[in-house]
Amino acid sequence: MSGRHTAPVVGLDLGGTGIRAVAWQDGRITASAEALSTELGAGPVHNRIEGLARLVTGLLPPGTVPAAVGVGASGPVDNAAGIIHNQDTLPWFSDFPLVDALRKRLGVPVLIDNDAVSAALGEHAAGAGRSCDRMLMITLGTGIGAAMLVDGRPVRGLDGAHPEGGHLPVGSDPTVCYCGLTGCWEQAASRSALQRMLRARLGEDHPARETLRHGSEAASGDPGVRRIFTEYGALVGRGLAALHAVYQPRVTVIGGSAASCLPLFADGLNQSLTRSAAYTVPTEIRPAELADSAGAVGAAVLALDHSTA
């Protein structure tokens, strides 16, 4: 993955809040950019493709095209057709042939995968899961993503699609998730859920990063806020315990924007993961190293693998 190429690959991470893009060459980020999903996704489909294309070409010297482009997107994602089916958290880029349109616009190969897979590929290539043979990654963002890599390759479902591990039933909350389940892990333990919990306590309404920052600062002097983080960690652990039982990872990487609060919710997380000795899964839990860049880097790795195949 580190051989020199005449042009870098580009990775796009399409999230429910923001879009991140990186140019990747010789095992490092050479340029990066961000945009709001609501802004780049405005207008007709042609405008959305043009916005993504400008984001890609803006990372490169004038007149340069990437060797390939990888896209990570919050799913469900039809990898074969190159179409995202996620009207609930990514409506701006769903239900049209995004990959085909971007390929025609840029004139280069374009690959797509679930954003949890791309984040896992990024951390496996250049982050907390470097070269790990059995690595699980969860991303705590607008929703919850989960991906298991075995020898660097994602575990797939029967139809070749990525299993939606963020939609496990973990509680008794009667609220129906958009996936159709009640007690859904994503509804209980995403970063969005943590924001709601903190806002109810702090009485504030800020963007995600500000809410998490204010909550982290308040935790040192407010026992109620500390309890919220402990409760949140326990909810994260409920779903993670199920994934550990099924996948038996050697390393679990926790990413997404809520991962910045891992020291505050680690106690609750560990409580939920505590099992009797015969059922303990000896996995090492690590915070993501690439932070918000993991998905875009992994998407670039996806593109690089194709361009060097």
Side-chain angles (χ1 to χ4, degrees):
M1 293 182 183
S2 60
R4 180 168 293 278
H5 293 81
T6 56
V9 292
V10 169
L12 293 174
D13 181 19
L14 307 185
T17 302
I19 298 171
R20 296 175 182 86
V22 301
W24 180 260
Q25 189 171 29
D26 301 324
R28 64 186 182 89
I29 296 173
T30 57
S32 62
E34 295 185 7
L36 291 175
S37 298
T38 50
E39 291 183 357
L40 218 56
V45 168
H46 172 79
N47 289 4
R48 300 175 218 173
I49 295 299
E50 189 62 31
L52 291 175
R54 286 198 300 268
L55 196 62
V56 169
T57 56
L59 298 172
L60 309 174
T64 303
V65 296
V69 174
V71 179
S74 53
V77 175
D78 185 333
N79 298 2
I83 299 175
I84 303 163
H85 297 291
N86 186 359
Q87 286 290 339
D88 296 287
T89 63
L90 201 61
W92 314 280
F93 300 104
S94 288
D95 299 321
F96 67 89
L98 183 145
V99 166
D100 187 57
L102 196 56
R103 182 187 298 121
K104 289 177 179 177
R105 168 61 178 80
L106 293 170
V108 302
V110 178
L111 294 304
I112 194 168
D113 213 321
N114 181 278
D115 60 347
V117 171
S118 62
L121 291 172
E123 290 290 338
H124 186 266
R130 287 181 184 86
S131 303
C132 178
D133 60 340
R134 295 187 65 84
M135 183 197 121
L136 173 68
M137 181 158 190
I138 64 167
T139 55
L140 306 173
T142 304
I144 294 181
M148 179 70 187
L149 303 184
V150 177
D151 295 328
R153 296 185 177 278
V155 175
R156 302 289 190 186
L158 183 63
D159 60 356
H162 180 71
E164 290 293 329
H167 293 280
L168 298 170
V170 301
S172 57
D173 185 341
T175 303
V176 179
C177 175
Y178 62 87
C179 74
L181 290 177
T182 59
C184 180
W185 190 29
E186 179 169 296
Q187 297 300 311
S190 63
R191 180 216 66 220
S192 304
L194 177 58
Q195 285 175 257
R196 291 193 298 269
M197 296 163 73
L198 289 172
R199 286 169 177 165
R201 174 71 182 184
L202 299 174
E204 300 175 346
D205 188 7
H206 295 291
R209 292 183 185 279
E210 290 300 304
T211 300
L212 298 185
R213 181 174 65 82
H214 289 179
S216 298
E217 292 171 351
S220 61
D222 188 332
V225 173
R226 288 199 297 274
R227 281 194 298 273
I228 285 173
F229 280 111
T230 300
E231 292 167 5
Y232 174 73
L235 292 167
V236 173
R238 290 286 298 277
L240 196 55
L243 294 177
H244 280 183
V246 172
Y247 287 135
Q248 302 281 307
R250 192 181 307 278
V251 170
T252 292
V253 179
I254 299 182
S257 46
S260 63
C261 303
L262 179 57
L264 293 170
F265 66 78
D267 285 347
L269 175 69
N270 291 329
Q271 289 171 20
S272 287
L273 295 178
T274 300
R275 311 180 73 147
S276 61
Y279 293 90
T280 296
V281 179
T283 185
E284 180 183 354
I285 295 177
R286 303 175 184 173
E289 292 182 7
L290 300 181
D292 292 341
S293 298
V297 168
V301 169
L302 183 72
L304 182 59
D305 285 346
H306 175 82
S307 69
T308 57

